[in-house]
Amino acid sequence: MLSDRDEGRPNVGRRVMYEEEIQLVAEDCDQRTREGSVQGKDLSSDVSSTNEAIRRLDRTSTFLATELAPTKASHVVSPAAVNPASEYVDGRQRAFIVVGINTAFSSRKRRDSVRETWMPQGKKLRQLEQEKGIIIRFVIGHTANTDSNLDRAIDEEDAQYSDFLRLDHVEGYLELSAKTKAYFSKAVAKWDADFYVKVDDDVHVNLGVLGTTLSRYQHKTRVYVGCMKSGPVLSQKDVKYHEPEFWKFGEEGNKYFRHATGQLYVISKDLAEFISDNKLILHKYANEDVSLGAWFIGLDVEQIDDRSFCCGTPPDCEWKAQAGDTCAASFDWTCSGICKSVDRMKDVHQRCGEGEDAVWNAIF
């Protein structure tokens, strides 16, 4: 008999009937075998009956395989069919990559230069989230009083573009390490992504190359990707990138441990969650890229040194693009970003950009 759960379900009744038929055939064979041994019946009759039973079982097995195939297939989801931005995990929107563009109150023109080049706008920005699972936001905190003209200007800009991630963080150059912790913590709470990217607002990015590159690391855990370096620890005061805690790194003239340069780096979800879970006890050094490397120094983390994340501006990135080796990111080392990026971002984009359709056609 069918249970209440089976009523109205296609093929269930027929499936049960065939299962009962299998059982009857099996019992029939067993009975015939017993009778043959006791009564000495003709073996040729038993062989004929057994062959018929086997044929019936074969037909039944074929039927069941045919009937069950659609049910099994309906539970298998092709990765390509998954729409990352349409799924939610623990109330968080699923994503492939979250790109946080570090910016400041004074950087409106820089943000506009990014919007006019490599960052899609309006409907295309939402389309990028829905179709490719890439979320891009400018990341900024607030002023000390939280209601200044600077804060209100960001409110107005966000109302116009809807492309900000606002942090509970007081902005300041010496607070970049704290901002980095706040960014990853907020991003992890809002989006369940495979990767989290931090990039400066004076860096050019090719999203298609970035996505394709990171897709190669999706099967890995605790991944830290960027252009790895080990620069000198600067103990002298009044110099850029001065390290007040230089004494922690040993003798004068020593170098930092290996870490990704701060213009652009990527960490996997488990590392972003680690930062979020331990943000209250993670030590902050003066330089945010050093701080990030320090947070991972005692963990089993795979560092991936990818030089396409730190190409130079033209002619460097242009030559590489012409050779079929398009860069993920480009900037000038001498300026720690694109020198005069407001004026030059369009030129870099035209000469080193991957093309408007690249990210849409990329497979990841």
Side-chain angles (χ1 to χ4, degrees):
M1 296 180 62
L2 299 179
S3 68
D4 293 340
R5 290 183 299 174
D6 293 331
E7 291 182 0
R9 291 172 55 188
N11 303 321
V12 171
R14 285 185 291 169
R15 207 173 298 145
V16 172
M17 291 169 58
Y18 275 96
E19 290 171 354
E20 292 175 349
E21 184 177 359
I22 292 173
Q23 180 64 29
L24 289 173
V25 169
E27 292 175 354
D28 182 58
C29 290
D30 186 57
Q31 178 66 24
R32 287 177 179 273
T33 301
R34 288 198 302 270
E35 290 176 353
S37 62
V38 174
Q39 301 176 11
K41 287 193 173 182
D42 186 13
L43 288 176
S44 64
S45 175
D46 285 342
V47 170
S48 176
S49 298
T50 301
N51 288 338
E52 175 60 23
I54 291 172
R55 284 194 292 272
R56 290 169 66 186
L57 285 171
D58 284 342
R59 288 196 298 271
T60 303
S61 299
T62 301
F63 171 81
L64 288 175
T66 303
E67 292 297 309
L68 290 173
T71 303
K72 181 179 180 181
S74 67
H75 289 83
V76 178
V77 181
S78 169
V82 174
N83 187 343
S86 67
E87 296 185 338
Y88 284 81
V89 177
D90 298 328
R92 299 175 297 161
Q93 181 181 324
R94 273 289 298 141
F96 173 34
I97 306 170
V98 172
V99 179
I101 307 174
N102 185 45
T103 193
F105 290 113
S106 60
S107 298
R108 172 61 191 263
K109 290 183 178 180
R110 283 188 178 184
R111 291 191 291 274
D112 286 341
S113 72
V114 170
R115 292 182 179 116
E116 292 167 1
T117 53
W118 62 266
M119 179 182 179
Q121 285 300 294
K123 291 182 179 180
K124 283 196 171 183
L125 186 64
R126 306 308 167 207
Q127 184 182 358
L128 187 68
E129 298 177 8
Q130 294 293 327
E131 295 185 10
K132 308 303 290 187
I134 299 178
I135 295 169
I136 310 176
R137 296 290 187 274
F138 288 106
V139 180
I140 197 166
H142 54 77
T143 62
N145 62 18
T146 70
D147 191 31
S148 69
N149 291 334
L150 295 174
D151 294 299
R152 287 191 290 272
I154 295 295
D155 292 338
E156 294 173 1
E157 190 178 344
D158 194 19
Q160 180 180 358
Y161 293 103
S162 298
D163 58 5
F164 278 90
L165 178 65
R166 309 291 290 273
L167 305 179
D168 184 13
H169 164 79
V170 178
E171 285 288 326
Y173 181 78
L174 297 179
E175 296 299 327
L176 287 179
S177 293
K179 184 176 182 179
T180 300
K181 286 200 291 186
Y183 159 57
F184 285 122
S185 299
K186 182 69 174 285
V188 164
K190 189 174 180 63
W191 296 290
D192 179 53
D194 295 329
F195 299 99
Y196 297 83
V197 179
K198 177 265 175 181
V199 60
D200 290 337
D201 60 9
D202 55 356
V203 173
H204 181 270
V205 177
N206 282 316
L207 295 171
V209 177
L210 178 66
T212 301
T213 300
L214 294 182
S215 68
R216 297 198 293 264
Y217 309 132
Q218 281 184 291
H219 66 287
K220 295 177 176 287
T221 58
R222 298 183 300 279
V223 172
Y224 174 30
V225 190
C227 289
M228 300 298 167
K229 65 175 185 177
S230 181
V233 179
L234 301 177
S235 60
Q236 305 91 334
K237 292 183 178 180
D238 303 323
V239 298
K240 192 175 184 180
Y241 307 128
H242 166 63
E243 178 56 72
E245 297 180 276
F246 61 90
W247 52 273
K248 287 187 175 181
F249 298 91
E251 301 296 328
E252 186 174 348
N254 280 359
K255 291 185 176 182
Y256 287 114
F257 41 78
R258 196 169 181 261
H259 62 280
T261 188
Q263 287 85 353
L264 185 149
Y265 49 73
V266 185
I267 61 175
S268 53
K269 175 170 65 175
D270 40 17
L271 294 182
E273 290 174 340
F274 169 80
I275 293 173
S276 178
D277 292 342
N278 296 280
K279 57 182 177 291
L280 297 179
I281 60 173
L282 292 175
H283 184 70
K284 303 185 296 293
Y285 289 100
N287 301 299
E288 51 100 4
D289 54 351
V290 172
S291 293
L292 186 76
W295 299 337
F296 301 152
I297 200 71
L299 304 181
D300 186 11
V301 172
E302 180 176 357
Q303 290 191 357
I304 298 175
D305 183 20
D306 193 323
R307 308 316 286 185
S308 75
F309 281 36
C310 55
C311 294
T313 57
D316 180 46
C317 57
E318 186 176 22
W319 290 341
K320 291 175 180 175
Q322 291 172 353
D325 190 21
T326 305
C327 297
S330 302
F331 58 88
D332 298 306
W333 283 103
T334 54
C335 297
S336 297
I338 297 176
C339 298
K340 299 181 180 179
S341 65
V342 172
D343 300 323
R344 296 183 58 227
M345 186 67 78
K346 280 187 178 180
D347 179 64
V348 174
H349 185 64
Q350 290 172 357
R351 297 169 66 179
C352 301
E354 61 192 350
E356 291 185 5
D357 296 331
V359 66
W360 307 106
N361 296 329
I363 300 176
F364 49 73

